[in-house]
Amino acid sequence: MKSKSVFIIIFIIAVLVLVKILFLSPKTENKPTQKGGGAKPPSSVLVYIANKENIDNKIFATGTLQANEKIELRPEISGKLVAIYFKEGTRVQKGALLAKIYDSDLQAQLKRLVYQKKLAKEKSDRLKSLLDIQGVSVQEYDEGITQIKLVDADIEYVKAQIAKTEIHAPFSGLIGLRQVSQGAYVTPSSVIATIQETNRLKIDFPLPEKNINYVKLGDKVQFKLDNADTYYTAVIYAMEPKVDEQTRDFQIRAICETNSPTILPGSFARVSINPSKEQTAIMIPTEAIIPELKGKKVFVVKEGIATSTPVTTGFRNDRKIEVIEGLTVGDTIVVTGIMSLRPNDKVSIKEVLNN
């Protein structure tokens, strides 16, 4: 009985040893080659030789349309608005009479002054006849002449006041909505309506200071509105002579000649510019760029070794991206297999893509 128990114990121990050997022992056949047992083979990669290319670098911006001329029509003096001669939303010509303020009192003053001038003139004529026969002194005659001049000055003043009771269109344009009614008492702070020159529109838009050398006066720009797919043309005619210290942008103003009723001041415009100055830049395939937490990098091959190089990028199109800093013409850039590469890995060049 005792020998039987010993046999069972030995059998169990043998089974446990066999399980450990077969299933629990570490496998050695897949271990990486130890140092000195063989080096990692070079990675086979495709590369691109950095060089400068002409780029079609359109500049895009957003801007706002503005009327070439725009003012609020306000009276110069206070008074009762006795007449309105315009219809809302219609076009008026420069100089057209748009509104009239009560001026009967001023007209009465003018009439009175005209009579005073007539009397002063008759008196001056009599004094002149008497002066010829030495019936009056030269001083008395001069006083008569001075009286005429004083009345003339008063007449000019009253006429100027009467002119202020009339509101004329300062330029040809489109009248907006009327803000007051006939019969209302208005003051110089009262807005009667607005008038805008809409057949010539200005477009104001900002550009980054890095583009300051690529635009000039006279350049044409294209723009479109969100409410239409039509592109319109405008011409740059003015630029702000300084860069904004906060945004680092400079302001540009272009003018568009148009009679389209769909283009209205205040509209949002998407602007595109073809730079007048041809641009060249180092362009590399976009797949060569590796994003990092602090920027971007590429792998540059030098003597068969992949070196990690930080870069600053700029303009990009559907296939390539501009490298502003970090590369020089002639650098060999790894394009494929970059995610498995580590700095200072050996590489073998399989193909140069731009040869």
Side-chain angles (χ1 to χ4, degrees):
M1 187 69 171
K2 184 177 180 181
S3 61
K4 185 177 180 179
S5 298
V6 172
F7 175 77
I8 292 173
I9 292 172
I10 293 172
F11 178 75
I12 291 173
I13 292 173
V15 171
L16 292 175
V17 171
L18 184 62
V19 170
K20 183 176 185 304
I21 293 172
L22 294 177
F23 300 102
L24 301 180
S25 296
K27 297 181 180 180
T28 60
E29 59 273 16
N30 292 328
K31 279 189 176 180
T33 304
Q34 298 296 321
K35 187 174 181 181
K40 178 183 175 182
S43 301
S44 180
V45 295
L46 303 181
V47 298
Y48 187 91
I49 307 300
N51 57 13
K52 286 197 172 184
E53 303 177 14
N54 291 328
I55 56 176
D56 179 20
N57 185 8
K58 275 192 174 182
I59 301 172
F60 297 96
T62 56
T64 303
L65 293 179
Q66 298 185 32
N68 184 49
E69 301 291 350
K70 172 188 175 182
I71 65 161
E72 293 178 332
L73 296 171
R74 301 172 185 263
E76 292 187 68
I77 60 174
S78 300
K80 180 181 178 181
L81 191 63
V82 295
I84 296 176
Y85 300 108
F86 65 86
K87 185 177 179 181
E88 296 169 290
T90 59
R91 190 167 294 278
V92 297
Q93 297 301 313
K94 180 179 179 178
L97 180 61
L98 303 178
K100 177 71 176 176
I101 294 173
Y102 178 82
D103 69 346
S104 295
D105 54 340
L106 294 173
Q107 293 290 352
Q109 291 182 36
L110 179 61
K111 198 171 186 179
R112 178 183 177 183
L113 289 170
V114 170
Y115 286 138
Q116 287 181 355
K117 180 180 179 180
K118 182 179 178 183
L119 290 174
K121 181 69 170 58
E122 291 174 352
K123 182 179 178 180
S124 175
D125 290 343
R126 289 195 296 270
L127 290 172
K128 179 67 171 63
S129 298
L130 292 173
L131 180 64
D132 290 341
I133 60 173
Q134 297 183 351
V136 295
S137 65
V138 174
Q139 181 180 354
E140 289 177 301
Y141 175 73
D142 289 343
E143 288 176 352
I145 295 297
T146 301
Q147 185 62 34
I148 294 176
K149 293 180 179 180
L150 290 175
V151 174
D152 279 338
D154 288 340
I155 289 175
E156 292 300 319
Y157 175 77
V158 173
K159 284 183 177 179
Q161 293 300 105
I162 292 173
K164 291 180 179 180
T165 66
E166 298 179 347
I167 301 173
H168 295 263
F171 49 81
S172 299
L174 197 63
I175 288 281
L177 301 180
R178 179 163 50 88
Q179 304 298 318
V180 295
S181 299
Q182 183 172 324
Y185 186 85
V186 294
T187 68
S189 63
S190 303
V191 177
I192 296 175
T194 61
I195 180 172
Q196 304 185 66
E197 183 186 351
T198 56
N199 57 349
R200 302 179 77 225
L201 294 174
K202 296 182 288 192
I203 311 167
D204 288 352
F205 57 93
L207 285 182
E209 62 177 322
K210 68 178 182 180
N211 294 320
I212 198 168
N213 293 324
Y214 298 112
V215 293
K216 67 179 190 304
L217 299 181
D219 282 354
K220 292 183 178 180
V221 304
Q222 303 291 318
F223 71 94
K224 69 182 291 290
L225 310 179
D226 281 348
N227 62 358
D229 293 328
T230 305
Y231 279 87
Y232 302 93
T233 300
V235 178
I236 295 174
Y237 77 95
M239 292 190 287
E240 191 70 47
K242 72 180 186 69
V243 174
D244 187 276
E245 295 179 359
Q246 301 297 322
T247 63
R248 298 301 175 188
D249 293 338
F250 64 101
Q251 290 291 326
I252 290 182
R253 178 169 288 175
I255 193 80
C256 174
E257 305 277 351
T258 178
N259 292 316
S260 174
T262 61
I263 307 181
L264 299 176
S267 297
F268 176 80
R270 300 184 185 276
V271 182
S272 62
I273 307 171
N274 282 316
S276 57
K277 185 176 180 181
E278 188 178 80
Q279 297 185 67
T280 60
I282 294 177
M283 302 290 290
I284 65 173
T286 54
E287 55 265 34
I289 299 293
I290 306 172
E292 287 188 312
L293 185 61
K294 295 184 179 180
K296 300 172 184 176
K297 70 176 183 179
V298 297
F299 279 110
V300 178
V301 178
K302 295 181 179 179
E303 299 179 355
I305 303 297
T307 304
S308 177
T309 304
V311 293
T312 302
T313 59
F315 165 77
R316 70 183 299 161
N317 54 34
D318 56 343
R319 296 185 302 107
K320 294 182 179 180
I321 187 168
E322 176 190 8
V323 177
I324 300 173
E325 292 180 358
L327 296 179
T328 58
V329 174
D331 284 346
T332 303
I333 314 302
V334 178
V335 177
T336 62
I338 56 176
M339 300 310 295
S340 61
L341 281 180
R342 296 292 180 268
N344 300 319
D345 276 0
K346 290 184 177 181
V347 296
S348 64
I349 298 175
K350 182 179 180 181
E351 182 184 352
V352 178
L353 295 178
N354 56 334
N355 262 4

